[in-house]
Amino acid sequence: MKSESQNTGELLQKRSGMLSQPKAVWAVAFACVISFMGLGLVDPILPAIAEQLNASKSQVSLLFTSYNLVTGLAMLITGVISSRIGIKWTLLVGMILIVAFSALGGLSDSIGGIVGFRAGWGLGNALFIATALSAIVGFSTSGTAKAIILYEAALGLGISVGPLLGGELGSISWRGPFFGVAGLMLLGFLFVLFVLPKVKKAATTSKTSLKDPFKALAYPSLLTLGIVAFLYNFGFFTLMAYSPYVMELDEHGLGYVFFGWGVLLALSSVFIAPKIQRRFNLVPSIGWMLTLFAVDLGVMAIGTINHSPNTVIVAVIVAGLFLGINNTLITTAVMQAAPVERSTASAAYSFVRFLGGAVSPWLAGKLSEWYTAELPFWFGGAMVLVAVIVLVARGRHLRGINMEGH
């Protein structure tokens, strides 16, 4: 008999049955689509916010910094909360916080106010995303690997559709996408409230403490993946928070670019990642995808130097291919990295990686203000390459995961 971990490669290759999920899985997946639409909805309006509120690039980037910082720190308490009030109510609390703070952001008249409300948004986001992943994996009847693919598909779908709506709403007013997030998440809240069944006590995790995520990081494999994601997020959020300023497009144009990026991210995470993982093995595949992403960031830098917005546009869209594959592979690795509750592993990993997402957007804006417009891309690409070096140097801690594809 094969163990569950030995079957991971086969589950990634054979997606048959992935769509045969309980109602609870689809309820959470639907809410995930709406949640991740929030990221794409806001992205096309970053230059408009800077112009209309007389803010610098680094000031506007604080929308990502406050959001990611609070999300990362709040990850430490998600397990404590969910183990006491249950999966369903943790999801609902997180979602209603997103509704409230995104609406307040739309009503704000200052960049400082928006940054503050985005921090509250980050708290809701932490409660939602950490619980959503563990809920989908826990409720799924088709195994961990297929559940993760479904989660990444929801992520990609939300990210791809979000910019289109964000571009449309943003062309009316920069406030539109904030209210759009609030309305859509309210819809998701109602969907989970009425569709997600009550979880029996036995199906929830045992009570956890604030120490559990830190204890989980004591496992070298999980810590390694967290460090890799911390570094990789410097490249990811340079793309998300800074590239809109150099593509020279209006809200509609940015919406279409990030729609293309999101479509490639969604398709590659569901259809290409399983094949690559089986053929080349999990950890080496992550290394190759990160390397290609670093090269792609270099292309964005060259396009910026040559004043070629079209080069940057193409490179941003192509990045979705590498990021979609990497997201699925690294999430799969995290779920296998430590013998702890999946929700605890997710919280510990997310705590580390979101700290990178907190620093990188602000730093990208500052680097462009202090030095040159292309430097944020060079720096982001260099940090992604450092992530590859860490992955290789600490590869001995990932050997157990490394064998999962065979």
Coordinates of all heavy atoms in Angstrom, one line a residue, residues 141-196:
T141 N -12.5 15.5 -1.0 CA -12.5 14.0 -1.0 C -11.6 13.4 -2.1 O -11.6 12.2 -2.3 CB -14.0 13.5 -1.3 OG1 -14.4 14.1 -2.6 CG2 -14.9 13.9 -0.2
S142 N -10.8 14.3 -2.7 CA -9.9 13.9 -3.8 C -8.4 14.0 -3.4 O -7.6 13.8 -4.3 CB -10.2 14.7 -5.1 OG -10.0 16.0 -4.8
G143 N -8.1 14.2 -2.2 CA -6.7 14.3 -1.8 C -6.1 15.7 -1.7 O -6.7 16.6 -2.3
T144 N -5.0 15.8 -1.1 CA -4.4 17.1 -0.8 C -4.0 17.8 -2.1 O -4.2 19.0 -2.3 CB -3.1 16.9 0.1 OG1 -3.5 16.4 1.3 CG2 -2.4 18.3 0.3
A145 N -3.3 17.1 -3.0 CA -2.8 17.7 -4.2 C -3.9 18.3 -5.1 O -3.8 19.4 -5.6 CB -2.0 16.6 -5.1
K146 N -5.0 17.5 -5.3 CA -6.1 18.1 -6.1 C -6.8 19.2 -5.4 O -7.2 20.2 -6.1 CB -7.1 16.9 -6.5 CG -6.5 15.9 -7.4 CD -7.5 14.8 -7.7 CE -6.9 13.7 -8.6 NZ -7.9 12.6 -8.8
A147 N -6.9 19.2 -4.1 CA -7.5 20.3 -3.4 C -6.7 21.5 -3.6 O -7.2 22.6 -3.7 CB -7.6 19.9 -1.9
I148 N -5.4 21.4 -3.5 CA -4.5 22.6 -3.7 C -4.6 23.1 -5.1 O -4.6 24.4 -5.3 CB -3.0 22.2 -3.4 CG1 -2.9 21.9 -1.9 CG2 -2.0 23.3 -3.8 CD1 -1.5 21.4 -1.5
I149 N -4.7 22.3 -6.1 CA -4.9 22.7 -7.5 C -6.2 23.5 -7.6 O -6.3 24.6 -8.2 CB -4.9 21.5 -8.4 CG1 -3.5 20.9 -8.5 CG2 -5.3 22.0 -9.8 CD1 -3.4 19.6 -9.3
L150 N -7.2 23.0 -6.9 CA -8.5 23.7 -7.0 C -8.4 25.1 -6.3 O -8.9 26.1 -6.8 CB -9.6 22.9 -6.3 CG -11.0 23.5 -6.2 CD1 -11.5 23.7 -7.6 CD2 -11.9 22.6 -5.4
Y151 N -7.7 25.2 -5.2 CA -7.4 26.4 -4.5 C -6.7 27.4 -5.4 O -7.0 28.6 -5.5 CB -6.7 26.2 -3.2 CG -6.2 27.4 -2.4 CD1 -7.1 28.0 -1.6 CD2 -4.9 27.9 -2.5 CE1 -6.7 29.2 -0.9 CE2 -4.5 29.0 -1.8 CZ -5.4 29.6 -1.0 OH -5.0 30.7 -0.3
E152 N -5.6 26.9 -6.0 CA -4.8 27.8 -6.9 C -5.6 28.2 -8.1 O -5.5 29.3 -8.6 CB -3.5 27.0 -7.3 CG -2.6 26.7 -6.2 CD -2.0 28.0 -5.6 OE1 -2.0 29.1 -6.2 OE2 -1.5 27.9 -4.4
A153 N -6.6 27.3 -8.6 CA -7.4 27.7 -9.7 C -8.4 28.9 -9.3 O -8.6 29.8 -10.1 CB -8.3 26.5 -10.2
A154 N -8.9 28.8 -8.1 CA -9.7 29.9 -7.5 C -8.9 31.2 -7.4 O -9.4 32.2 -7.8 CB -10.3 29.5 -6.2
L155 N -7.7 31.0 -7.0 CA -6.8 32.2 -6.9 C -6.6 32.8 -8.2 O -6.7 34.0 -8.4 CB -5.5 31.8 -6.3 CG -4.4 32.8 -6.0 CD1 -3.5 32.4 -4.8 CD2 -3.5 33.1 -7.2
G156 N -6.2 32.0 -9.2 CA -6.0 32.5 -10.6 C -7.2 33.1 -11.2 O -7.1 34.1 -11.9
L157 N -8.4 32.5 -11.0 CA -9.6 33.0 -11.6 C -9.9 34.3 -11.0 O -10.3 35.3 -11.7 CB -10.7 32.0 -11.4 CG -12.1 32.4 -12.0 CD1 -12.0 32.6 -13.5 CD2 -13.2 31.4 -11.6
G158 N -9.8 34.5 -9.7 CA -10.1 35.7 -9.0 C -9.1 36.8 -9.5 O -9.6 38.0 -9.8
I159 N -7.9 36.5 -9.5 CA -6.9 37.5 -9.9 C -7.0 37.9 -11.4 O -6.8 39.1 -11.7 CB -5.4 36.9 -9.7 CG1 -5.1 36.9 -8.1 CG2 -4.4 37.8 -10.4 CD1 -3.8 36.4 -7.8
S160 N -7.4 37.0 -12.2 CA -7.6 37.3 -13.6 C -8.8 38.2 -13.9 O -8.8 39.1 -14.7 CB -7.6 36.0 -14.5 OG -8.7 35.2 -14.1
V161 N -9.9 37.9 -13.3 CA -11.2 38.6 -13.5 C -11.2 39.9 -12.8 O -11.7 40.9 -13.3 CB -12.4 37.8 -13.1 CG1 -13.7 38.6 -13.2 CG2 -12.5 36.5 -13.9
G162 N -10.5 40.0 -11.6 CA -10.5 41.2 -10.8 C -10.0 42.4 -11.6 O -10.7 43.5 -11.5
P163 N -8.9 42.4 -12.3 CA -8.4 43.6 -13.0 C -9.4 44.1 -14.0 O -9.5 45.4 -14.3 CB -7.1 43.1 -13.7 CG -6.7 42.0 -12.8 CD -7.9 41.3 -12.4
L164 N -10.1 43.2 -14.7 CA -11.1 43.7 -15.7 C -12.2 44.6 -15.0 O -12.5 45.7 -15.5 CB -11.8 42.5 -16.4 CG -10.9 41.8 -17.4 CD1 -11.7 40.6 -18.0 CD2 -10.4 42.7 -18.5
L165 N -12.7 44.1 -13.9 CA -13.7 44.8 -13.2 C -13.1 46.1 -12.6 O -13.7 47.1 -12.5 CB -14.3 43.9 -12.1 CG -15.5 44.5 -11.3 CD1 -16.6 45.0 -12.3 CD2 -16.0 43.5 -10.3
G166 N -11.9 45.9 -12.0 CA -11.2 47.0 -11.4 C -10.9 48.1 -12.4 O -11.0 49.3 -12.1
G167 N -10.5 47.8 -13.7 CA -10.3 48.8 -14.7 C -11.6 49.5 -15.1 O -11.6 50.7 -15.3
E168 N -12.7 48.8 -15.1 CA -14.0 49.4 -15.5 C -14.4 50.4 -14.3 O -14.8 51.5 -14.6 CB -15.1 48.4 -15.7 CG -14.8 47.5 -17.0 CD -14.8 48.3 -18.2 OE1 -15.7 49.3 -18.3 OE2 -14.0 48.1 -19.1
L169 N -14.4 49.9 -13.1 CA -14.8 50.7 -12.0 C -13.8 51.8 -11.7 O -14.2 52.9 -11.4 CB -14.9 49.8 -10.7 CG -16.0 48.7 -10.7 CD1 -15.9 47.9 -9.5 CD2 -17.4 49.3 -10.9
G170 N -12.5 51.5 -11.9 CA -11.5 52.6 -11.7 C -11.6 53.7 -12.7 O -11.2 54.8 -12.4
S171 N -12.1 53.4 -13.9 CA -12.2 54.5 -14.9 C -13.3 55.5 -14.6 O -13.3 56.6 -15.0 CB -12.5 53.8 -16.3 OG -13.8 53.2 -16.3
I172 N -14.2 55.0 -13.7 CA -15.2 55.9 -13.2 C -14.7 56.7 -12.0 O -14.8 58.0 -12.0 CB -16.5 55.1 -12.7 CG1 -17.0 54.3 -13.9 CG2 -17.5 56.0 -12.2 CD1 -18.1 53.3 -13.5
S173 N -14.1 56.0 -11.1 CA -13.5 56.7 -9.9 C -12.5 55.7 -9.3 O -12.8 54.5 -9.3 CB -14.5 57.1 -8.9 OG -13.9 57.5 -7.7
W174 N -11.4 56.2 -8.7 CA -10.5 55.3 -8.0 C -11.2 54.6 -6.8 O -10.8 53.6 -6.3 CB -9.3 56.0 -7.5 CG -9.5 57.1 -6.5 CD1 -9.6 58.4 -6.6 CD2 -9.6 56.8 -5.0 NE1 -9.8 59.0 -5.4 CE2 -9.8 58.1 -4.4 CE3 -9.5 55.7 -4.2 CZ2 -9.9 58.3 -3.1 CZ3 -9.7 55.9 -2.9 CH2 -9.9 57.1 -2.3
R175 N -12.3 55.2 -6.3 CA -13.0 54.6 -5.2 C -13.8 53.4 -5.6 O -14.2 52.5 -4.8 CB -14.0 55.6 -4.6 CG -13.3 56.9 -4.1 CD -14.4 57.9 -3.6 NE -13.8 59.2 -3.4 CZ -13.2 59.6 -2.2 NH1 -13.2 58.7 -1.2 NH2 -12.7 60.8 -2.1
G176 N -14.2 53.3 -6.9 CA -15.0 52.2 -7.4 C -14.5 50.8 -7.0 O -15.3 50.0 -6.5
P177 N -13.3 50.5 -7.3 CA -12.8 49.1 -6.9 C -12.9 48.8 -5.5 O -13.2 47.6 -5.1 CB -11.3 49.1 -7.4 CG -11.3 50.1 -8.5 CD -12.3 51.2 -8.1
F178 N -12.7 49.8 -4.6 CA -12.9 49.5 -3.2 C -14.3 49.1 -2.8 O -14.5 48.1 -2.1 CB -12.5 50.7 -2.3 CG -11.0 51.0 -2.3 CD1 -10.4 51.8 -3.2 CD2 -10.2 50.4 -1.3 CE1 -9.1 52.1 -3.2 CE2 -8.9 50.7 -1.2 CZ -8.3 51.5 -2.2
F179 N -15.3 49.8 -3.4 CA -16.7 49.5 -3.2 C -17.0 48.1 -3.9 O -17.8 47.4 -3.4 CB -17.6 50.6 -3.7 CG -17.4 51.9 -2.9 CD1 -17.3 53.1 -3.5 CD2 -17.5 51.8 -1.5 CE1 -17.1 54.3 -2.8 CE2 -17.4 53.0 -0.7 CZ -17.2 54.2 -1.4
G180 N -16.3 47.9 -5.0 CA -16.5 46.6 -5.7 C -16.1 45.4 -4.9 O -16.8 44.4 -4.8
V181 N -15.0 45.6 -4.2 CA -14.5 44.5 -3.3 C -15.5 44.3 -2.2 O -15.9 43.1 -1.9 CB -13.1 44.8 -2.7 CG1 -12.8 43.9 -1.6 CG2 -12.1 44.8 -3.8
A182 N -16.0 45.4 -1.6 CA -16.9 45.2 -0.5 C -18.2 44.5 -1.0 O -18.7 43.6 -0.3 CB -17.3 46.6 0.0
G183 N -18.7 44.9 -2.1 CA -20.0 44.3 -2.6 C -19.8 42.8 -2.9 O -20.6 41.9 -2.6
L184 N -18.7 42.5 -3.6 CA -18.4 41.1 -4.0 C -18.2 40.2 -2.8 O -18.7 39.1 -2.7 CB -17.2 41.0 -5.0 CG -17.5 41.5 -6.4 CD1 -16.2 41.6 -7.2 CD2 -18.5 40.6 -7.1
M185 N -17.4 40.7 -1.8 CA -17.1 39.9 -0.6 C -18.4 39.7 0.2 O -18.5 38.7 0.9 CB -16.0 40.5 0.2 CG -15.5 39.7 1.4 SD -15.1 38.0 0.9 CE -13.5 38.2 0.1
L186 N -19.3 40.7 0.2 CA -20.5 40.6 0.9 C -21.3 39.4 0.3 O -22.0 38.6 1.0 CB -21.4 41.9 0.8 CG -22.7 41.8 1.6 CD1 -22.6 41.5 3.0 CD2 -23.4 43.2 1.4
L187 N -21.3 39.3 -1.1 CA -21.9 38.2 -1.7 C -21.3 36.9 -1.3 O -22.0 35.9 -1.0 CB -21.8 38.4 -3.3 CG -22.4 37.3 -4.1 CD1 -23.9 37.2 -3.9 CD2 -22.1 37.6 -5.6
G188 N -20.0 36.8 -1.2 CA -19.3 35.6 -0.8 C -19.6 35.3 0.6 O -19.8 34.1 1.0
F189 N -19.8 36.3 1.5 CA -20.1 36.1 2.9 C -21.5 35.4 3.0 O -21.6 34.4 3.7 CB -20.2 37.5 3.6 CG -20.7 37.4 5.0 CD1 -19.9 37.2 6.1 CD2 -22.1 37.7 5.2 CE1 -20.4 37.1 7.4 CE2 -22.6 37.6 6.5 CZ -21.7 37.3 7.6
L190 N -22.5 35.9 2.2 CA -23.8 35.3 2.2 C -23.7 33.8 1.7 O -24.4 33.0 2.2 CB -24.7 36.1 1.4 CG -25.0 37.5 1.9 CD1 -25.9 38.3 1.0 CD2 -25.7 37.5 3.3
F191 N -22.9 33.6 0.7 CA -22.8 32.3 0.1 C -22.3 31.3 1.1 O -22.8 30.2 1.3 CB -21.9 32.4 -1.1 CG -21.9 31.2 -2.0 CD1 -23.0 31.0 -2.9 CD2 -21.0 30.2 -2.0 CE1 -23.1 29.9 -3.7 CE2 -21.0 29.1 -2.8 CZ -22.1 28.9 -3.7
V192 N -21.2 31.7 1.8 CA -20.6 30.8 2.8 C -21.6 30.6 4.0 O -21.7 29.5 4.6 CB -19.3 31.4 3.3 CG1 -18.8 30.6 4.6 CG2 -18.2 31.3 2.2
L193 N -22.2 31.7 4.4 CA -23.2 31.7 5.5 C -24.3 30.6 5.3 O -24.6 29.9 6.2 CB -23.8 33.1 5.8 CG -24.8 33.2 6.9 CD1 -24.1 32.9 8.3 CD2 -25.4 34.6 6.9
F194 N -24.8 30.6 4.1 CA -26.0 29.8 3.9 C -25.7 28.4 3.2 O -26.4 27.5 3.3 CB -27.0 30.5 3.0 CG -27.6 31.7 3.7 CD1 -27.3 33.0 3.3 CD2 -28.5 31.5 4.8 CE1 -27.9 34.1 4.0 CE2 -29.0 32.6 5.5 CZ -28.7 33.9 5.1
V195 N -24.5 28.3 2.5 CA -24.2 27.1 1.8 C -23.2 26.2 2.5 O -23.4 25.0 2.5 CB -23.6 27.4 0.4 CG1 -23.2 26.2 -0.3 CG2 -24.6 28.2 -0.4
L196 N -22.2 26.8 3.2 CA -21.3 26.0 4.0 C -22.0 25.3 5.1 O -22.6 26.0 6.0 CB -20.1 26.8 4.5 CG -18.9 26.0 5.0 CD1 -18.2 25.3 3.9 CD2 -18.0 27.0 5.7

